[in-house]
Amino acid sequence: MKKVLAINSGSSSFKYKLFSFPNEKVIASGMADRVGKENAVFKIKLSNGQEYIKNLPIHNQEEAVKLLIEDLKKFHVVEDLREISGVGHRVVNGGEIFKESVHVKEKELQEIFDLGELAPLHNIPEANGIKAFMRIIPNVPQVAVFDTSYHQTLDQIHYLYSIPYEYYQKYGIRKYGAHGISISYVAQRAAKMLNKNPNLVNLIVCHLGSGASVTAVKNGKSYDTSMGISPLTGVTMGTRSGDFDPAALQRLMHKTGMNIDEAVKVLNYKSGLSGISSDMRDLIESKDKRAKLARKIFFNRVVRYVGAYAAELNGVDAIIFTAGIGEHDPGIRAGVMASLKYLGLDPDFKANRTDGEKFISKPNSKVKAMIVPTNEELMIAREVVRVLQ
């Protein structure tokens, strides 16, 4: 039986799940948080439900990886590192270099670092995570699984910006999309629930979390998506602005004296729902006017993209809600569904009151609405098995 680790690295954290194959059972999971600080946290949860938490200094990714390997041995999840057949890592942007998942060696690792120009907030910490695993367990293959791989099927009509073509040719400035690992899982799962051929299904996937995107899936493949060269554009998000006029950015910089890096940092970290009011979790019960406004803006931007993609697809089988907000915010789901009745969507508002994988439209609804919880780690692990077989 194979054991495969799936890793999702951030700048100061990584989440992990260890799967057994072929039964795809999670045999351990957890995370390292606040890496680089004295008050870091390391968690491991075993398949029997027992959870162990350590509070200690973790100075870098390598120390976090060492803790993980030590705990896997300590709790007899693995007796020998040779039981781990591979480690899969989520990498946000593979640019035009990586069309699919890849076995990472030194050359590929450097290319992932180099692609940090396209996704500095994501690729660099993800590459550092891969590097740490390569050092600590050098005999275990490392596999990079790219969010952008799923969007390789975009046509030039959908991925080119209307700027001088040479900028695309010279600098790779184009739409790449994101959340591809999640959307790939959700699309396959939705097709199964709909009893449709996964290569023939047309979906609009609303991946709504702190980072949020809307993707049109045509015949099982990515057709258009709201995020661009980075995960900053598209719908309003937790701390990201979503679509923003470059002329407004220029004016903001002139008025405040910020340079471009400072201004883009504001768009990434101080905008979105937080910029208008606060975090979505705080907005749900708030009666504050700006809190209500923030939710309405979020809802409006999602509906705007869903409507546009419904027109592009010229026929939709289902609207899918996934990720933190999509899976757990019935108010947002209800609002989006109510705005799509013209498509032939007949919402089941009673079913929508609770979470979990299910249909939230009535049985005779022409266009279905569904909650499909995402499982990026499982998709990463499956890709490891596929690449290394």
Side-chain angles (χ1 to χ4, degrees), residues 6 37 60-61 88 124 147 157 181 294 339-340 346 369:
K37 299 184 182 296
N60 51 49
Q61 290 271 27
I124 301 303
D147 268 315
I157 293 170
I181 299 168
S339 297
L340 300 176
D346 188 3

Side-chain angles (χ1 to χ4, degrees), residues 58-98:
I58 304 176
H59 298 106
N60 51 49
Q61 290 271 27
E62 284 193 29
E63 289 187 12
V65 175
K66 286 179 181 177
L67 284 169
L68 170 58
I69 300 303
E70 287 171 5
D71 274 6
L72 291 178
K73 289 182 174 179
K74 175 182 176 182
F75 296 111
H76 305 287
V77 178
V78 297
E79 302 296 340
D80 190 313
L81 289 180
R82 286 175 293 186
E83 295 173 32
I84 302 175
S85 57
V87 182
H89 301 262
R90 179 202 181 201
V91 179
V92 165
N93 203 315
E96 294 195 312
I97 297 174
F98 299 106

Side-chain angles (χ1 to χ4, degrees), residues 19 37 45 55 57 67 74 208 211 225 229 262 271 334 356 371:
F19 292 87
K37 299 184 182 296
K45 185 176 181 179
N55 296 91
L67 284 169
K74 175 182 176 182
L208 309 179
T225 192
I229 192 171
E262 291 168 336
S271 300
I371 304 171

